[in-house]
């Protein structure tokens, strides 16, 4: 994996990391020696910020995928901690078991009561394994639905944080109806009578992402991706191996800009220069601001109107050709 | 979720030119279908080998049995036209939404361009896309009926399939007709239309939620194979969900699961019988009984405004 691990960073981040290291050195030198280096540090910071902007403004689709999977990228648990007040986690699907790969609970976001449902990838190895690296089982999606229906009953808006490589493909998952429970979530989320705001914060892996992704507003963090299939999976199908994942990432059109262009998402939430992992606090502020803005808009609508709006939004999704009485029109969301 | 669309593979020659050593742990699906095709085209086109029991079968006899193996009850895939003929009253079907055709919103191009594959497939099958939706009658009861056609890019769901199902469900709601859909789409969501295909899952499910709210009936019929994005959306959402015997039905493709768990999968995994046992099907119905069984549901579950 040459792409990874320059001190927990990615290859293309190397020039930024170099500058960050230099700045760090100067700072500690100036602290221990009491020599004023603020001018040099200021200049270096400037250069570093320029570098960050230049590099992250021009990421290739594959580099976006790598950023979305960055080992230090903030996870749902980070955003919960940084955005929410009085968050109380609730467990279990009341049916089979508690799937830790989806976190659910209630709390306040900028004074608004909300229900949060998010994929959990896990922080340390043990947690990662327990969460199957963010790949949920049917019970995870059922847990999400049970809590969302609780929110619905008491008129509490729902915030979902999407970050999964995909729903888990395994024997148990199939035995317990992975497809059936995801389908059920799609159907039930379509008719919940509360505002739903869904944000892809990292990986938007196919049906596993969509399973908590039917909203009145769909947002994506700037360097996240959302795709029908992983670049590796696409490469394996088309080229019979995963070597063409970079090319696959290009042709799948999976970046936030692409999805905005297709009319699938409503807004791209900007990340701090150099990506959310450089400044999680600012990333969380940016996300919180965006969610609250949409929430205030949506809270004006009645339950009936929210359901209708979601229906109309989904109705527009798709790009096809429609021939009407000899006239060709291009319909759809683009 | 989209690991079995044989049609999206390069041609065998192109693959060989690329690199003969590239065949990884994944099964060479195309090679397998080629072998199946060869076996099916045996002397004078009168004999075929069963995909289920490998027995040599006399073709006219199989066709007479609605394309079901007389030896092992394996149900062969059939075209949308045959399916309509089998289930609906004679000459009752009127196709709708025929003015919808697929586009290539991603400019999707790997070894072959999606655009070219669409044109070729349209020529070969006479279909515009992978599903047919319309109105018809079953034992004189009017219905909205849809069926996917696995000959068209593995019956996969892109924008047109999603839109046709969506409009079909709305039509059923407005006419107060039951909605019946026969799925058999191998690959689920169509990779070539990327995220737009994925969104068809949410779109079709929303339509069905609305039909449900209006008290409408949806009968979902699963046939070999119903996988991925089709099953994880509309196909799983029937008021009644039935399947033909021995069909492959599941979320993730068997290859993906094998790769993930690094172990063999149990015999009979992801078959209709497996799903029935685990509680996800209401019933397994033989092809020859499908029409009468659906008709009995139609008489039982009559539209009742909510």
């Amino acid at each position: 994996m040459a792409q990874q691990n320059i001190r927990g960073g990615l290859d293309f981040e190397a020039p930024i990391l170099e500058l960050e290291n230099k700045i760090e050195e100067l700072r500690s030198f100036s602290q221990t020696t009491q020599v004023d280096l603020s001018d040099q540090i200021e200049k270096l910071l400037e250069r570093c910020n320029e570098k960050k902007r230049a590099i992250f403004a021009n990421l290739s689709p594959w580099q976006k995928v790598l950023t979305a999977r960055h080992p230090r990228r903030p996870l749902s648990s980070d955003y919960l901690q940084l955005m929410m007040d009085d968050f109380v986690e609730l467990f279990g699907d009341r049916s089979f078991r508690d799937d830790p790969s989806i976190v659910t609970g209630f709390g306040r976001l900028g004074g608004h009561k909300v229900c949060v449902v998010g994929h959990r990838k896990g922080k340390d190895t043990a947690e990662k394994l327990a969460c199957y690296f963010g790949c949920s089982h049917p019970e995870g999606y059922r847990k999400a639905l049970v809590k969302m229906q609780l929110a619905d009953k008491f008129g509490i808006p729902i915030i979902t944080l999407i970050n999964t490589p995909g729903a888990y493909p395994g024997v148990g998952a199939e035995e317990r109806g992975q497809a059936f429970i995801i389908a059920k979530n799609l159907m039930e989320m379509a008719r919940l009578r509360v505002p739903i705001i869904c944000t892809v914060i990292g990986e938007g892996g196919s049906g596993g992402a969509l399973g908590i992704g039917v909203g009145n507003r769909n947002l994506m963090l700037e360097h996240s991706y959302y795709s029908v299939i992983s670049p590796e999976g696409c490469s394996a199908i088309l080229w019979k191996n995963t070597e063409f994942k970079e090319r696959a990432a290009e042709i799948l059109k999976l970046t936030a800009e692409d999805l905005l262009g297709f009319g699938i998402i409503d807004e791209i939430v900007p990340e701090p220069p150099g990506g959310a992992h450089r400044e999680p606090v600012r990333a969380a502020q940016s996300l919180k601001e965006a969610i609250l803005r949409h929430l205030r808009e949506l809270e004006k609508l009645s339950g009936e109107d929210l359901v209708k709006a979601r229906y109309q939004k989904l109705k527009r999704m798709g790009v096809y050709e429609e021939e009407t009485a000899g006239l060709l029109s291009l319909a759809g969301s683009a | 979720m989209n690991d079995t669309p044989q049609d999206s593979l390069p041609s065998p020659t192109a693959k060989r030119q690329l690199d003969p050593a590239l065949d990884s742990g994944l099964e060479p699906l195309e090679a397998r279908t080629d072998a199946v095709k060869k076996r099916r085209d045996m002397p004078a086109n009168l004999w075929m080998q069963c995909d289920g029991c490998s027995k040599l079968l006399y073709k006219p006899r199989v066709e007479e049995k609605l394309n079901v193996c007389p030896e092992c009850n394996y149900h062969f895939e059939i075209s949308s036209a045959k399916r309509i003929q089998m289930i609906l009253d004679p000459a009752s079907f009127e196709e709708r939404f025929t003015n919808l055709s697929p586009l290539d919103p991603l400019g999707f191009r790997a070894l072959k361009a999606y655009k070219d594959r669409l044109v070729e497939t349209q020529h070969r099958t006479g279909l515009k896309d992978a599903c047919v939706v319309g109105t018809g009658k079953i034992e004189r009861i009017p219905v909205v009926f849809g069926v996917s056609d696995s000959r068209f890019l593995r019956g996969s769901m892109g924008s047109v399939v999603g839109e046709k199902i969506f409009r079909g469900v709305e039509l059923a709601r407005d006419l107060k007709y039951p909605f019946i859909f026969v799925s058999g789409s191998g690959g689920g969501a169509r990779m070539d239309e990327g995220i737009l295909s994925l969104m068809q899952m949410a779109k079709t499910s929303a339509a069905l939620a609305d039909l449900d709210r209006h008290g409408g009936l949806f009968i979902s019929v699963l046939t070999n194979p119903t996988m991925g994005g089709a099953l994880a959306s509309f196909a799983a959402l029937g008021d009644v969900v039935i399947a033909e015997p021995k069909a492959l039905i599941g979320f993730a493709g068997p290859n993906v699961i094998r790769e993930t768990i690094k172990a063999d999968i149990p015999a009979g995994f992801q078959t209709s019988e497996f799903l029935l046992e685990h509680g996800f099907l209401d019933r397994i119905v033989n092809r020859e009984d499908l029409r009468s069984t659906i008709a009995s549901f139609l008489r039982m579950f009559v539209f009742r405004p909510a």
Side-chain angles (χ1 to χ4, degrees), chain B residues 75-243:
Chain B
H75 285 51
F76 293 97
E77 288 175 32
I78 57 173
S79 69
S80 49
K82 257 194 181 155
R83 186 65 74 177
I84 289 164
Q85 197 190 350
M86 261 177 42
I87 293 181
L88 296 174
D89 293 352
S92 71
F93 185 71
E94 278 177 49
E95 191 179 350
R96 302 287 296 263
F97 320 123
T98 51
N99 56 341
L100 302 179
S101 321
L103 288 171
D104 176 23
L106 273 62
F108 194 90
R109 187 188 181 90
L111 293 162
K112 218 173 180 185
Y114 176 47
K115 222 178 244 172
D116 297 340
R117 291 175 58 225
L118 279 175
V119 174
E120 278 167 34
T121 316
Q122 284 167 340
H123 278 297
R124 184 165 48 78
T125 59
L127 300 164
K128 277 186 179 168
D129 208 309
C131 90
V132 175
V133 175
T135 54
K137 286 181 180 168
I138 298 175
E139 297 192 358
R140 296 190 306 283
I141 302 166
V143 297
V144 175
F145 183 87
V147 52
S148 61
D149 198 310
S150 59
R151 294 172 304 163
F152 198 102
L153 305 182
R154 295 303 300 152
S156 57
M157 174 162 62
S159 295
V160 168
V161 170
E163 182 67 18
K164 278 191 176 182
I165 294 175
F166 190 91
R167 291 191 190 188
V169 174
E170 282 196 331
L171 184 67
R173 178 198 65 193
D174 296 342
L175 295 173
K176 300 185 177 12
Y177 288 0
F179 181 70
I180 298 163
F181 198 91
V182 182
S183 309
S185 53
R190 187 177 299 166
M191 190 168 70
D192 317 62
E193 289 184 30
I195 193 73
L196 290 155
S197 299
L198 188 74
M199 291 304 147
Q200 303 311 309
M201 293 169 62
K203 177 170 169 172
T204 52
S205 302
L208 289 166
D210 190 52
L211 177 70
D212 181 60
R213 193 168 67 99
H214 283 84
L217 169 67
F218 170 36
I219 300 174
S220 178
V221 183
L222 313 181
T223 71
N224 189 37
T226 302
M227 301 295 291
L231 187 65
S233 63
F234 65 90
L237 295 172
D239 294 292
V240 180
V241 184
I242 56 179

Side-chain angles (χ1 to χ4, degrees), chain A residues 2 20-21 60 85 91 96 100 148 176 216 223 252 259 270 284 318 322 325:
Chain A
E20 283 175 341
N21 285 343
S60 72
D85 304 309
F91 300 87
F96 183 69
M148 288 192 285
R176 302 196 289 280
N216 292 94
H223 306 304
L252 282 169
L259 268 82
E322 180 161 22

Side-chain angles (χ1 to χ4, degrees), chain A residues 174-177 179 183 191 206 210 237-238 240 247 253 311 314-315 317-323, chain B residues 1-2 8-10 22 24 99-101 106 109 159 163 167 170 200 203 212 232 251-252 270 274 280:
Chain A
E174 296 290 328
E175 284 173 342
R176 302 196 289 280
R191 57 184 171 197
S206 198
L210 191 62
I237 288 173
L238 294 176
K240 296 266 106 193
R247 173 96 183 90
K253 301 277 190 289
Y311 185 84
L314 288 167
K315 183 175 180 162
M317 286 189 186
V319 176
Y320 50 85
E321 188 179 284
E322 180 161 22
E323 223 175 316
Chain B
M1 66 187 288
N2 196 344
S8 58
L9 296 174
L22 285 184
S24 55
N99 56 341
L100 302 179
S101 321
L106 273 62
R109 187 188 181 90
S159 295
E163 182 67 18
R167 291 191 190 188
E170 282 196 331
Q200 303 311 309
K203 177 170 169 172
D212 181 60
F251 177 68
Q270 294 183 318
F274 173 91
F280 292 100

Side-chain angles (χ1 to χ4, degrees), chain B residues 263-278:
Chain B
D264 266 343
I265 45 185
F269 184 63
Q270 294 183 318
T271 59
S272 311
E273 294 72 18
F274 173 91
L275 266 86
L276 185 82
E277 189 193 328
H278 286 92

Side-chain angles (χ1 to χ4, degrees), chain A residues 177-226:
Chain A
Q178 187 72 286
F180 286 80
I181 183 63
I182 289 175
K184 188 168 166 61
N185 276 19
L186 302 184
M187 188 187 213
E188 298 303 332
M189 285 185 88
R191 57 184 171 197
L192 294 176
R193 299 166 59 86
V194 292
I196 307 176
I197 300 170
C198 308
T199 308
V200 184
I201 58 167
E203 295 191 84
S206 198
L210 191 62
I212 59 166
V214 181
N216 292 94
R217 295 285 191 276
N218 295 82
L219 319 177
M220 279 176 82
L221 286 190
E222 192 180 348
H223 306 304
S224 60
Y225 80 89
Y226 199 175

